[in-house]
Amino acid sequence: MKNIRYRWRGAALCLTLSLMAAGCSMNDDLECPPEQGKPVVTGSAYLQLSLSMTGNSGTRAGNPTGGEHGDGDEPGQTYENDVNSVVAFLFKHSDKGIEADGKTDVHHVEFTDFKYADPNTNSITTMPEAVKDIELNTDYDVIIMANPGDDDWWRSASNLHQVRDHIQKNAWKEDGQGGYSDFLMSSAKATTQPIHITNTSTYTSPVTASVDIERMAARVDYYAKGEYTCIGTDYPGAKVTIEGAAIINRFTAGSYLLKRVADAVNVDPENPEDVEYLGDETPVAGGKATNYVLDPWTAQKTEANLTGEPFVVDGKTVGADSLYAEGTYYPERNTDPAWWADKIQSCPTVTDVNETNGVKMWQRVGYTLENTTSDAETTKAYNTGVAFKAKFEPQGVAGYKRGQTFFTYNGTIYSSLTDMMRKLNGITNFEDYVEYDISKADNWVQMKLNADRMTNDPTGYRDYLLDCAEGKNQEEIPDSEREKLTWGYYLNNVLGVVEDSQNGPQINKNNINTRDKLYTVSDEKICTYYESRCYYIWWLRHSNNDDDKTNGLMEYAIVRNNIYKINVTDIYTLGSDIPESDEIKANVYVNKWRMLKDEELHM
């Protein structure tokens, strides 16, 4: 049978398993179960899976709302719903169900071949596959994993602990050009009815059970208007355009294969007595969360663990930065505005058909794994956010040309550093002042006296001149030293700036990080806005406790199979020259990807 990859054209999938144990005959390789009271008999059983789509659109309201379903359900994109392989894990049923002893044996079976597609029910069915050496006439529970890809850890998994507590790092594939595929999915709920394996079952008389599956990834989207007018009073009339976004603190260290919840984070996340496997997030009225979703390192994400290497990832001790994708860790973010301008690019569009007023085109920022902390340890060093890149075009700034690099000092915008020094020191003929009073002064003493006229020195030029004159008095300034005293020399060789009359200031010349240099000499009062770009950060919320003074449970968190949607409604003021503040107004929604339909197991 040809191996076919089926693509789902809708939001969700329904996964139905048919479990078949063929009747005994001379040609069968199955062992017949004994009559009641005789020894246990093992043999081979065959599973058949039927996958189909179903579900209705959810509703949405903005807070965000906590709980299992957040602000409603949303259809997934085509590539998010593709299924090309499925692995089923069977383990003996007990009263404890999924929370049974971790040493409980598991049997696994993989499905990669599909038998037929049924357009009437919008479903496909796999070819039957054998589960060998399984106990017949016995009840079993099931765990499902879809799209494991090339990661075949499951082949050596022999007990429930190895499946239930497996830490999975790869939850999707990226092609390096913005393409995603092979989203790993796992059971969302425990089976409500066990599978009873008996050789009396047939294709036409199956046993049924229900199992939901969900993606391990979370998605981040944003929606922005074409252009905003800054509504704050600091920069009246400024025009702002959102150009792209990127995930900050994108968690990649790994997630448990199965979601788990607990009332506190200081529990053993692998102890069935402390956690609820495949449990629901339980909100109170208004959507505030009352329990935690645990990732493998939730309890360890503390202020004390921000230093050293207290985390164990893949058997190695690492620092907090290693929990996140390279280049996204907020405390160690790059400080070069030009780097960020190149790093954050425009995001592809995704269509949302759940909008009240029709279709809305959102921008897909990307995907991340679960990332949670206790409410007491909420911090920008651990929580996940979105950095927005924006073109900010101020109005009424002398000398400013659209799209050029500009600077701020104490929040005031200047079109160039020369303009800044001219206005801050009241020297209208600043160029002549540098030409004659500084570089052509009669001697070092005279030069120092003239330099003292710069009473406001955010660029560090005055201090630079005084350093050049250190220990020198009435002696004449050598011609070889005069060039080094000029403003142009200082701009180019100390600050890394070339002031271009046509294109505005050009930064990072002579291998100098202009922003860092200015930030240092001005005591963090000068910001460098490369090509008129600024940045805003929105720290993603999972549940809003409606209290600005305290952080609630799961308030700043990321949970699997959720879409975090940021609708940028207004922009109040100029952002930062690199990502480090949040100056936008937004409505935020947390939507559940629509679940795969209840799984029916036939036998």
Side-chain angles (χ1 to χ4, degrees), residues 252-270:
T252 56
S255 291
Y256 288 118
L257 181 67
L258 302 184
K259 177 181 174 182
R260 62 208 59 199
V261 299
D263 293 331
V265 301
N266 56 339
V267 298
D268 182 350
E270 298 179 10

Side-chain angles (χ1 to χ4, degrees), residues 263 288-292 373 375 543 545 551-556:
D263 293 331
K288 300 179 184 66
T290 61
N291 59 353
Y292 288 98
T373 62
D375 56 338
S543 174
N545 72 342
N551 295 317
L553 272 68
M554 295 293 293
E555 184 162 7
Y556 293 92

Side-chain angles (χ1 to χ4, degrees), residues 569-583:
T569 56
D570 291 296
I571 294 179
Y572 283 100
T573 189
L574 175 63
S576 303
D577 54 357
I578 62 172
E580 61 180 358
S581 65
D582 47 354
E583 300 288 356

Side-chain angles (χ1 to χ4, degrees), residues 404-545:
Q404 75 167 49
T405 297
F406 63 83
F407 306 90
T408 63
Y409 175 63
N410 281 338
T412 299
I413 295 177
Y414 298 93
S415 61
S416 67
L417 294 176
T418 298
D419 185 53
M420 181 187 297
M421 292 296 284
R422 180 188 298 118
K423 292 178 178 177
L424 289 176
N425 291 283
I427 303 175
T428 55
N429 58 340
F430 187 78
E431 291 82 350
D432 290 343
Y433 158 74
V434 172
E435 174 73 12
Y436 297 103
D437 294 356
I438 301 298
S439 65
K440 292 184 179 178
D442 292 338
N443 54 53
W444 288 105
V445 170
Q446 187 62 51
M447 191 278 291
K448 286 190 285 185
L449 291 173
N450 291 337
D452 280 336
R453 290 174 56 192
M454 288 183 285
T455 56
N456 200 335
D457 179 36
T459 68
Y461 182 44
R462 173 181 175 274
D463 290 342
Y464 167 78
L465 294 174
L466 296 180
D467 285 344
C468 289
E470 180 70 27
K472 302 169 185 176
N473 296 299
Q474 296 289 343
E475 56 265 39
E476 184 178 349
I477 302 173
D479 289 341
S480 59
E481 296 289 320
R482 292 186 183 276
E483 181 185 0
K484 295 180 181 179
L485 304 179
T486 64
W487 173 241
Y489 182 92
Y490 179 73
L491 283 176
N492 298 172
N493 296 281
V494 179
L495 300 182
V497 177
V498 173
E499 294 196 339
D500 185 329
S501 60
Q502 297 297 318
N503 302 305
Q506 308 296 299
I507 67 169
N508 295 0
K509 304 300 179 181
N510 296 321
N511 297 317
I512 296 170
N513 184 325
T514 298
R515 188 261 182 189
D516 278 3
K517 187 66 178 181
L518 285 170
Y519 211 57
T520 300
V521 299
S522 68
D523 294 327
E524 303 180 2
K525 294 179 180 180
I526 290 182
C527 292
T528 304
Y529 291 90
Y530 174 70
E531 295 181 347
S532 296
R533 290 186 172 92
C534 68
Y535 300 87
Y536 307 95
I537 286 186
W538 184 272
W539 296 99
L540 291 167
R541 285 182 171 183
H542 185 72
S543 174
N544 190 355
N545 72 342

Side-chain angles (χ1 to χ4, degrees), residues 4-8 81-84 114-117 124:
I4 303 174
R5 178 177 183 175
Y6 285 92
R7 173 162 289 177
W8 300 103
N81 296 321
D82 283 350
V83 172
N84 52 59
F114 299 92
K115 183 177 180 181
Y116 62 82
I124 64 171

Side-chain angles (χ1 to χ4, degrees), residues 261-460:
V261 299
D263 293 331
V265 301
N266 56 339
V267 298
D268 182 350
E270 298 179 10
N271 186 349
E273 296 182 0
D274 290 347
V275 302
E276 182 182 359
Y277 293 91
L278 302 179
D280 286 344
E281 299 170 69
T282 54
V284 296
K288 300 179 184 66
T290 61
N291 59 353
Y292 288 98
V293 175
L294 301 181
D295 71 45
W297 298 274
T298 300
Q300 290 181 267
K301 296 175 192 169
T302 64
E303 184 177 359
N305 283 343
L306 286 173
T307 58
E309 296 182 340
F311 300 94
V312 178
V313 179
D314 296 332
K316 300 178 181 178
T317 56
V318 297
D321 60 309
S322 294
L323 301 177
Y324 304 92
E326 185 177 359
T328 73
Y329 188 51
Y330 180 79
E332 298 177 8
R333 63 200 180 284
N334 196 293
T335 59
D336 182 0
W339 183 89
W340 282 104
D342 181 65
K343 178 70 173 179
I344 300 181
Q345 299 296 325
S346 61
C347 300
T349 57
V350 290
T351 304
D352 182 353
V353 296
N354 280 355
E355 292 298 323
T356 303
N357 298 319
V359 174
K360 179 179 284 186
M361 303 303 292
W362 292 75
Q363 310 298 120
R364 184 202 68 200
V365 183
Y367 300 87
T368 183
L369 293 179
E370 246 164 17
N371 182 24
T372 64
T373 62
S374 72
D375 56 338
E377 299 293 345
T378 295
T379 172
K380 296 174 182 178
Y382 289 124
N383 300 132
T384 297
V386 176
F388 292 94
K389 179 176 72 174
K391 181 68 69 71
F392 191 97
E393 298 177 349
Q395 304 296 306
V397 175
Y400 171 77
K401 295 180 180 179
R402 185 176 184 181
Q404 75 167 49
T405 297
F406 63 83
F407 306 90
T408 63
Y409 175 63
N410 281 338
T412 299
I413 295 177
Y414 298 93
S415 61
S416 67
L417 294 176
T418 298
D419 185 53
M420 181 187 297
M421 292 296 284
R422 180 188 298 118
K423 292 178 178 177
L424 289 176
N425 291 283
I427 303 175
T428 55
N429 58 340
F430 187 78
E431 291 82 350
D432 290 343
Y433 158 74
V434 172
E435 174 73 12
Y436 297 103
D437 294 356
I438 301 298
S439 65
K440 292 184 179 178
D442 292 338
N443 54 53
W444 288 105
V445 170
Q446 187 62 51
M447 191 278 291
K448 286 190 285 185
L449 291 173
N450 291 337
D452 280 336
R453 290 174 56 192
M454 288 183 285
T455 56
N456 200 335
D457 179 36
T459 68

